[in-house]
Amino acid sequence: MMKMILRRLASSCLSLFILVALVFFLAHLTPGGPAYSILGQKATPESVAQLNQRLGLDQPLLKQFGLWIWHLLHGELGYSYLLNRPVGQLLWVYERNTLIFYTVSIIISTALSIALGLIQGVWFGRWPAKLIGAFQLGFYALPPFFVAAMLILWFAVDVHWLPASGIIDLRDPHAGIASFAAHLVLPVTTVSLLTVSSLSRYFGEAVHEELGKDYVRTARAKGVSFASILFRHVMRNALRPLITILGLSFPYIFTGGVIVESVFNYPGLGWLMWRSALSQDYPILIAIVLVIGVLTVLGNLLADLVNGLLDPRASYE
Amino acid sequence: MNAVLEIKNLSVTLKRGGRDVTILDQLNLRIAPGEMQALVGESGSGKTIAALAIMRLLPPGAAITGEILLNGENLAAAVEPRMRQVRGKSVAMVFQNPLAALNPSRTIAAQIGEAWRVHQGGSAAQARARALELLDEVGIPDPKNRLNDYPHQFSGGMRQRVMIAMSLACSPHLLIADEPTTGLDPLIAQQIMTLIARLRRERDMAVLFVTHDLSVVQEHADSIHVLYAGRSVEWGAAAAFFQHPRHPYSEALLGSVARLGQARLRNIPGNLPEPEQRPPGCRFAPRCAYASAVCSTAYPPADAQGATLAACFHPLPRTARPAFAETLAPRPARNFAPLLDVTDLGVRYRGAGGWFGAARRLPPSLAEVSFRLGRGECLGVVGESGSGKSSLGRAVLQMIEYDGQVTLDGHDFHAMAGRAKRDLRRKIQVVFQDPRESMNPRMTIGEVIAEPLRLRGGLNNAARRARVEALLGQVGLNPEMAARHPGDVSGGQAQRIAIARALAAEPELIVLDEPTSALDVSTQAMLLNLLKDLSLKHALSYILISHDFAVVSYMSDRIAVLNAGRIVEMNETAALLSAPRAAYTRALIGAAPQLQPMQA
Ligand SMILES: Nc1ncnc2c1ncn2[C@@H]1O[C@H](COP(=O)(O)OP(=O)(O)OP(=O)(O)O)[C@@H](O)[C@H]1O
Ligand code: SF4
Ligand SMILES: [Mg+2]
């Protein structure tokens, strides 16, 4: 087991390295550069060259990359060009916001997916399942920013029940837990609507499939009630594919999250990433890619570990 | 005596393709306490449906009429909550394929314990203690340490024991076993049957035992009930049935079972009709050798003039020809020109290795296997599952890597390369247990058979089509079959198509890997006869791999017995059967279910 984890982490390091390298070179090869963002579009070529030299941007790319990796190995992620603060320090605040946002979203979407999927699996092919299926397809097809915009229009602009955006910082003394929670409602709803639409469908199909298996007939032949069959036998086996899918859809959830965070002005990693990309603040951008990559790897690993606990046949040799 | 189970006029209707189809028609049967009754019939005759009807576990949309009296209570009219109290407590069921029938992610203690707790209540600890008792009773060694194991950690036979333990949890009055030994190898199957027989004696439990294997019935059952196309054709005491079958279908069925030393198998012409296409009157009439005009007028009434009851207008009299007319003649020894030479064959599979770690070394699956095979000869290969039979076939077919030498027609495969090697390989073809798995469902049968012809080249379209039709004729199929798809043919037909495809390559040797295990006895007989004729006609050699000793001895000139990857004994068929030298061979022969020849 331990060996499996270590092996997985080792192979993930390689993937992460490739990912980071790719983003590093792509970002540095885009025209313009951070100097223009800092000095303004009208900056003279001389001042730009001077600044580039100070930031080390005039060095060969390969050397810059080597330097970045060297710093990373020493636990440093560099300085933000624009905000002039260590990236590590900056990231932490946003990362915390993002973690809260995703954890809440994933818990809510999983719970909802299980509930809907059970209904769909049990009444497969009949009207309750068909009704849910129609909604799943609808939401699955919608782009995240559209859902976000609609939610803002209804709940924030029309009825003023919930704030559309504007949470600035968790450390703001005026922003209590209640206000923070209120700010979370719409982004979490957006992400959940989108993930639930596909997750619940997978789970519903898994439940339906499990219900058709021979061991269910065996359980019925023992006199076990339907509810017990569903919760003691079927649930656990049907959860396995759900968790695998959840693990695999982390990158998808994160990319959806970037858009959702930006639309709702929610100060998380996605939002920061969007900003840094616009201003070509490379150190932040690359650090965020790294963090999201690590989160994805860990999420996947967690999914596999949970699956291993659920499935006695999985053996890690 | 009071019956545990009495079924009166039971009919079952299922929904198929939007229509109601009567699958089981007017079934009447009775089982007394401690009695073991076999419900017998070909695949699709309605055996499983009858068993599921008693449990009231039929698929949705099913309708039943008639009475199912269990200790006097009519289950056909019971409501679902009542059925939940009955299932597992008064009637329990053991299913075929225990790996699928057990929940893969719960321990066996939990699954056995559940069967007990559902009805008796009690604590988890008590349920565990009960599970331990039961595992011990069904003969699981060291049961204490197996309680927390999962189904996949047991072998096939052990899993079936676990299934049986589960069904015994509440000491049911009636045990229904649906093909409990199908798919297990004969040694294990015999242990399971002996276990069931012992348990019903000790517990005075009635057993309804669903099977298509007549030799197992003869060995274990008290009474028999034969179904054909959803209706009873003959029923009564098992001993009387095997002595003097009275229904023409029973006689034909018994005649088609392969027995040791038989010169020729009999088979039943035609096919079992689908439920939608059952003929009027006697359903067996289109295939019956004794049919007369009256047979198609109405379903025949039960005739009680003999020891068993037969639903037939012209039941066979006692003096009719006995069920097995053929003399069990010894096979004449034949001389063969040499064809295949296998020397020191060894096969070792690699275990699952890690990304970085080296692959684990597994013990060899085959070691020091040497034999010769002549032109037109059939070598039978027997052994329990895991003994290396299929590995042997695959090595000869050059499908896996092996050590040692395989020489065909004087050419060593290891010394050949390129086109010459491919041409040599083509001379060895294969037929597997489930031929449909190796056929592209989108191709027509004609395309499937033409594939080897196309690969070889040299034929234009018209010539190829003519060849396909000729091949279909050779295996006894209608040329119109060429336009159909593998999905819409029966198992027996699919196997004939696989043989036609193998023949298309003009092989000298065909490896037959369990070619008839998935087929009913009557279909099996047809296929074995066909293979025998083809071998005589084309001097075709076979390596026949099978669980079934009777099938192997019917077909083979010589038999090789494999145990743990080594040949423990190899001899002429008659000599091996009459005087087996190795203890392992004796065990295998002893476990092989055998229909005993009857005196007329
Ligand atoms: N769920 C179902 N829906 C519709 N038809 C079915 C269903 N199950 C079985 N049948 C049909 O009912 C008939 C009898 O089937 P049954 O399973 O009882 O046969 P069997 O005698 O048990 O055969 P086998 O030896 O292959 O197990 C067959 O024609 C089969 O196609
Ligand atoms: S009733 Fe007629 S057709 Fe049917 S089995 Fe008897 S003799 Fe044959
Ligand atoms: Mg069946």
Side-chain angles (χ1 to χ4, degrees), chain B residues 16-66:
Chain B
R16 300 221 307 190
R19 285 191 301 139
D20 286 330
V21 179
T22 303
I23 302 287
L24 191 68
D25 224 355
Q26 298 173 50
L27 177 69
N28 286 286
L29 65 77
R30 253 179 92 87
I31 309 181
E35 176 181 341
M36 190 145 168
Q37 185 163 120
L39 189 59
V40 175
E42 284 173 84
S43 181
S45 57
K47 309 181 296 283
T48 299
I49 296 296
L52 291 178
I54 299 168
M55 296 294 281
R56 295 280 312 279
L57 285 176
L58 289 167
I64 58 180
T65 57

Side-chain angles (χ1 to χ4, degrees), chain B residues 47-48 96 178-179 210:
Chain B
K47 309 181 296 283
T48 299
Q96 186 185 344
D178 188 1
E179 313 250 7
V210 177

